[in-house]
Amino acid sequence: MDLFKQRIDDLRKELNRHNHNYYVLNSPQISDYEYDMLMKELESLERDYPEFDDDLSPTHRVGSDLSAGFTQVAHIHPMLSLSNTYSVSEVDDFMTRTRQQLMGETFSIVGEMKFDGTSISLIYENGRLVRAVTRGDGEKGDVVTENVKTIRSIPLELSGKGYPKMFEIRGEIVLPWNAFEKLNAERASNGEPVFANPRNAASGTLKMQNSAEVSRRGLDAYFYYMLGNDLPCDNHYDNMLKAREWGFKVSDVMTRLESIEQVDEFISHWDTARKLLPVATDGLVFKVNSLRQQLNLGYTAKSPRWAIAYKFQAERALTRLLHVSYEVGRTGVITPVANLEPVLLSGTIVKRASLHNEDIIKSLDIHEGDMVYVEKGGEIIPKITGVEVDMRQSEAKKIEFVSHCPACGSTLQRVEGEAAWICPQKYTCKPQMVGRIEHFVGRRMMNIDGIGEETAQLLFDQGMIKNIADLYDLTLDEIAMLDRFANRSAERILQGLEASKSVPFERVLFALSIPFVGETTAKKIARKVGNIDRLMEMNNDELMEIDDVGSRIAESIIDYFAEDCNKEIIDRLRKVGLQFALPEEKSENRTNKLQGKSVVISGTFAHHSRDEYKTIIEMNGGKNVGSISKKTDYVLAGENMGPAKYEKATSLGIEIIDEDTFLKLIE
Ligand code: IVH
């Protein structure tokens, strides 16, 4: 081999090893100076011999300020969340439930830290990092490979052997406390807004366009979950040990636990010991260790049944309530906000806290100038959880909820059966009108590049738009006329609007701001109904047949389409080319091979979990039912099908099919 190529390879290997020693093992073997010398030598060789360039070379870890925007890709496996609890007894219930679901089988639990950062999915092929994707909406995320490559503790090429040809590993990108404090100090001295907590700082940094800046900020990453077809071991714990051998940072806090008592002990130890860790954590995660048992336990729509997160009690601080202000949301709901004397809480300064609704204000019996307790839960906005009544000033007045909209002055209405007050002037009250536009352009909706909350507000204030359809009538000249806008940003807005025409129907539906139709509901409606014309015609009963849609949502959808102005907006959006129907291939994925058939699932399976089989049955027109009766068409039988079920099925003459036959049947 070429002598220089040889030296380049050796230097890369050596630098990778030193990176690993320094960033993963925290035990550097050479001085910073020696490291810099090796790096300089490699840089100069790569400059002289560009034909040997490799984009995974350690020299590329410094990033560049030319990184392009992010593209989105679908996750190979959806990124779900974990079910949460704050109570030890609910973790105990999880253990008991798991034992029952596993039919009394013994099982081990792995206890880990829950890192408070932003989750990341990495794909490795032949031992090389090929892609890094953020969680996004769980189904698809942003490709942030260039930024992730700057994180020194993430191996770009794996060491050791035995890794699958292709696999996915998930973890949390974090900004360690010391890097967080340094970054905020710098920002404060530059007059820039500081980050509220390391989690926001980590996710904000990961999404920066300039990877050189990302490289500078000192992100780190811990890995906690491996997925793939040929993983080295049959259990989570050993797979994580392998990941550590291949170069990943896997936390030392990872313990196999065999009983409820051991789980409780783990919780009480880490509840305080976590404060000594160099990174923010917001709880613990408990996972069933065996992958076979994980498969048997399966998933709910949102989270695995084989894991649970125990969240630490939030810390609280005492401060003075200055005054209560009221905000009007896009659906007209009035949210009371407590404005506070600034106070330090878990490392960040808090000035505002949510008071949620009138009932909360009443139950807190909060008075002007009260000393109040503020807590940070899992949410970004802290909340008031109590009042120090003894410290109340004698003449303090009780806080009374407003009776009129703070924005348009109309009399508020209380939603039946709910704690919320709303302003009924949907189509004339400014914050509602602007709120709907802001929602429409947002990332998870139409994702219109170039228009954020401020721009939406500005366009509205200038009288250029009154509703979401007006956005598509904007012209380059009009936008460029605005003070803040150069031609380039005006062009970006128009391109963003153009690109939004290919946003799929389910997101368009969510973007419309139909009250109570959130992201998940919109998705379910879109997939079930297929297009907006059909949805507009549906009556209450038909709507309520859709998963997740109850009477309140059904009513809200009917009300929405009953308004002429909404119909007009939809018409205009349709004319400019927005997606109001599912694409063909989504519907093609379905077959009607099981049309009208009812199928009972029994036992455990090798290829899919029971939940997946349920979805497969429904996708193919069938119905999954719980128990065998004369009306059952098939029993899909896995291993360990219960003897009673077997007998019942045979005595009724119902066809019992195994997993492979079933898969062939619907192929
Ligand atoms: S396991 C299928 N383990 O918590 C579940 N998650 O609420 C895979 N997280 O999105 C996740 N530390 O970002 C797992 N040790 C840990 C974790 C962890 C932090 C985050 C992760 C996930 C969220 C779930």
Side-chain angles (χ1 to χ4, degrees):
M1 203 198 312
D2 188 303
L3 213 59
F4 294 110
K5 169 84 171 86
Q6 184 64 53
R7 179 66 187 150
I8 288 175
D9 279 351
D10 290 348
L11 281 166
R12 284 177 183 162
K13 282 210 186 84
E14 202 174 341
L15 282 160
N16 279 336
R17 193 163 51 80
H18 291 308
N19 263 333
H20 184 253
N21 288 337
Y22 187 95
Y23 292 102
V24 179
L25 306 178
N26 290 324
S27 90
Q29 308 288 322
I30 55 171
S31 70
D32 288 1
Y33 177 77
E34 287 165 301
Y35 179 90
D36 288 345
M37 288 300 111
L38 293 173
M39 187 62 98
K40 283 214 163 66
E41 185 185 347
L42 178 59
E43 275 166 0
S44 113
L45 281 171
E46 286 181 349
R47 225 180 356 256
D48 294 344
Y49 300 94
E51 63 272 34
F52 302 134
D53 190 25
D54 181 333
D55 63 351
L56 297 187
S57 165
T59 53
H60 288 268
R61 296 233 195 221
V62 290
S64 106
D65 48 14
L66 294 173
S67 335
F70 305 114
T71 46
Q72 287 203 325
V73 292
H75 291 295
I76 303 173
H77 311 270
M79 284 180 87
L80 302 176
S81 55
L82 293 169
S83 65
N84 273 337
T85 174
Y86 286 90
S87 109
V88 179
S89 72
E90 281 184 18
V91 178
D92 297 350
D93 292 347
F94 161 78
M95 295 289 286
T96 313
R97 199 166 58 236
T98 303
R99 184 171 306 275
Q100 283 164 357
Q101 283 165 346
L102 291 173
M103 317 267 186
E105 249 180 22
T106 53
F107 62 98
S108 296
I109 287 287
V110 180
E112 303 170 5
M113 280 335 281
K114 186 168 188 306
F115 295 100
D116 197 11
T118 180
S119 38
I120 192 77
S121 147
L122 305 183
I123 308 288
Y124 284 80
E125 280 173 22
N126 302 313
R128 288 167 61 90
L129 172 70
V130 293
R131 195 162 67 233
V133 189
T134 64
R135 179 173 190 278
D137 62 4
E139 291 195 8
K140 55 188 171 345
D142 286 318
V143 179
V144 288
T145 321
E146 288 311 306
N147 286 349
V148 162
K149 270 164 51 182
T150 70
I151 302 173
R152 308 299 202 276
S153 62
I154 293 183
L156 304 182
E157 291 180 85
L158 303 183
S159 5
K161 43 184 188 311
Y163 41 77
K165 208 165 148 27
M166 180 187 150
F167 70 99
E168 176 176 354
I169 190 160
R170 292 192 189 159
E172 200 81 352
I173 293 192
V174 293
L175 193 65
W177 284 115
N178 57 11
F180 170 70
E181 275 147 25
K182 182 165 156 263
L183 175 64
N184 265 355
E186 266 173 32
R187 290 174 72 86
S189 75
N190 293 338
E192 292 167 310
V194 295
F195 285 108
N197 51 46
R199 172 171 21 105
N200 290 2
S203 63
T205 303
L206 190 63
K207 300 297 282 296
M208 289 179 72
Q209 296 292 335
N210 178 338
S211 58
E213 175 61 17
V214 178
S215 165
R216 212 184 56 78
R217 286 195 181 174
L219 292 173
D220 201 350
Y222 288 85
F223 289 86
Y224 46 63
Y225 186 33
M226 199 193 289
L227 298 98
N229 285 333
D230 17 57
L231 300 186
C233 311
D234 65 2
N235 69 85
H236 168 66
Y237 186 87
D238 289 334
N239 279 329
M240 287 297 108
L241 294 187
K242 285 284 178 202
R244 195 183 276 158
E245 275 174 36
W246 303 336
F248 294 99
K249 190 178 251 187
V250 173
S251 169
D252 290 332
V253 187
M254 182 174 72
T255 313
R256 273 172 299 186
L257 306 164
E258 311 291 344
S259 64
I260 292 190
E261 292 70 32
Q262 287 184 0
V263 167
D264 293 358
E265 245 169 68
F266 187 83
I267 295 179
S268 67
H269 174 72
W270 286 106
D271 227 341
T272 42
R274 64 159 176 141
K275 292 183 182 145
L276 302 171
L277 295 174
V279 292
T281 54
D282 61 342
L284 301 169
V285 182
F286 296 100
K287 301 172 182 168
V288 170
N289 192 25
S290 145
L291 301 190
R292 178 185 59 81
Q293 290 177 333
Q294 287 186 2
L295 190 68
N296 280 353
L297 290 160
Y299 295 81
T300 68
K302 288 193 183 141
S303 52
R305 282 202 198 89
W306 45 262
I308 190 166
Y310 166 82
K311 301 273 282 252
F312 298 128
Q313 276 305 327
E315 285 176 52
R316 61 177 197 169
L318 189 64
T319 187
R320 187 175 301 284
L321 170 71
L322 299 176
H323 67 276
V324 176
S325 53
Y326 295 85
E327 287 178 2
V328 190
R330 74 188 154 95
T331 53
V333 174
I334 311 290
T335 308
V337 176
N339 294 268
L340 307 165
E341 216 156 72
V343 62
L344 192 67
L345 180 60
S346 332
T348 60
I349 292 180
V350 175
K351 290 186 204 143
R352 282 155 56 86
S354 173
L355 279 165
H356 300 286
N357 56 45
E358 186 186 24
D359 291 358
I360 302 274
I361 293 185
K362 281 200 176 133
S363 70
L364 287 169
D365 185 32
I366 196 166
H367 284 54
E368 280 172 5
D370 266 352
M371 292 303 287
V372 294
Y373 287 103
V374 205
E375 262 183 31
K376 257 196 244 164
E379 300 313 308
I380 301 163
I381 309 163
K383 54 180 188 255
I384 306 278
T385 54
V387 174
E388 200 50 82
V389 184
D390 294 344
M391 294 168 84
R392 178 170 296 157
Q393 283 146 344
S394 53
E395 72 289 7
K397 271 202 289 184
K398 205 177 167 136
I399 303 278
E400 297 283 355
F401 203 86
V402 281
S403 56
H404 290 81
C405 174
C408 72
S410 42
T411 310
L412 300 181
Q413 294 176 351
R414 183 137 179 177
V415 186
E416 222 186 271
E418 307 245 341
W421 283 94
I422 62 164
C423 164
Q425 296 304 324
K426 284 198 191 81
Y427 304 108
T428 51
C429 175
K430 181 178 153 186
Q432 297 189 53
M433 297 169 77
V434 180
R436 282 194 295 270
I437 299 172
E438 286 172 359
H439 172 77
F440 183 81
V441 298
R443 270 186 53 77
R444 280 168 28 242
M445 287 63 70
M446 306 304 284
N447 190 21
I448 297 174
D449 212 15
I451 311 185
E453 288 185 13
E454 264 175 55
T455 311
Q457 180 85 46
L458 182 71
L459 293 169
F460 186 91
D461 286 342
Q462 296 293 318
M464 293 161 66
I465 52 172
K466 286 205 176 51
N467 59 45
I468 52 178
D470 292 342
L471 284 166
Y472 293 88
D473 292 341
L474 289 169
T475 64
L476 192 69
D477 293 346
E478 257 180 319
I479 308 173
M481 248 168 43
L482 291 174
D483 271 1
R484 290 203 348 239
F485 286 91
N487 251 347
R488 245 185 72 196
S489 16
E491 265 164 27
R492 200 165 138 223
I493 292 182
L494 291 186
Q495 280 162 6
L497 285 161
E498 196 53 40
S500 76
K501 294 178 184 169
S502 52
V503 166
F505 174 45
E506 57 198 42
R507 271 170 58 195
V508 178
L509 191 58
F510 175 42
L512 293 177
S513 284
I514 303 175
F516 308 119
V517 176
E519 193 168 6
T520 316
T521 312
K523 209 174 272 177
K524 290 196 172 157
I525 296 175
R527 290 186 185 171
K528 179 93 185 187
V529 182
N531 66 63
I532 199 138
D533 296 309
R534 172 88 194 92
L535 183 64
M536 287 166 92
E537 284 166 2
M538 286 169 92
N539 63 29
N540 206 69
D541 291 349
E542 289 169 324
L543 285 166
M544 280 175 50
E545 270 175 29
I546 305 171
D547 230 12
D548 257 18
V549 177
S551 59
R552 186 178 70 164
I553 301 183
E555 207 173 296
S556 169
I557 295 174
I558 292 174
D559 287 351
Y560 179 88
F561 290 120
E563 296 282 353
D564 285 338
C565 60
N566 290 333
K567 278 192 270 196
E568 187 202 312
I569 287 175
I570 288 169
D571 255 3
R572 287 174 60 198
L573 293 176
R574 196 201 297 263
K575 285 204 184 95
V576 297
L578 260 53
Q579 304 293 318
F580 281 106
L582 283 187
E584 291 297 309
E585 86 263 16
K586 273 256 165 70
S587 345
E588 270 173 20
N589 244 342
R590 306 160 168 271
T591 76
N592 46 15
K593 291 193 176 153
L594 295 173
Q595 195 62 45
K597 304 280 187 216
S598 72
V599 185
V600 171
I601 305 176
S602 176
T604 59
F605 299 92
H607 300 302
H608 294 280
S609 69
R610 293 170 66 110
D611 284 334
E612 283 166 354
Y613 275 118
K614 180 169 190 274
T615 315
I616 294 174
I617 291 167
E618 285 165 2
M619 292 276 288
N620 290 283
K623 200 163 153 194
N624 170 225
V625 290
S627 57
I628 301 175
S629 72
K630 275 191 301 218
K631 291 190 196 139
T632 311
D633 295 287
Y634 300 112
V635 177
L636 168 56
E639 257 178 65
N640 306 325
M641 171 178 178
K645 273 201 174 145
Y646 182 81
E647 226 166 79
K648 186 152 188 200
T650 31
S651 71
L652 291 170
I654 293 160
E655 193 172 343
I656 301 176
I657 43 181
D658 65 23
E659 196 174 4
D660 292 321
T661 319
F662 176 77
L663 290 172
K664 274 212 196 84
L665 181 75
I666 55 153
E667 208 165 46

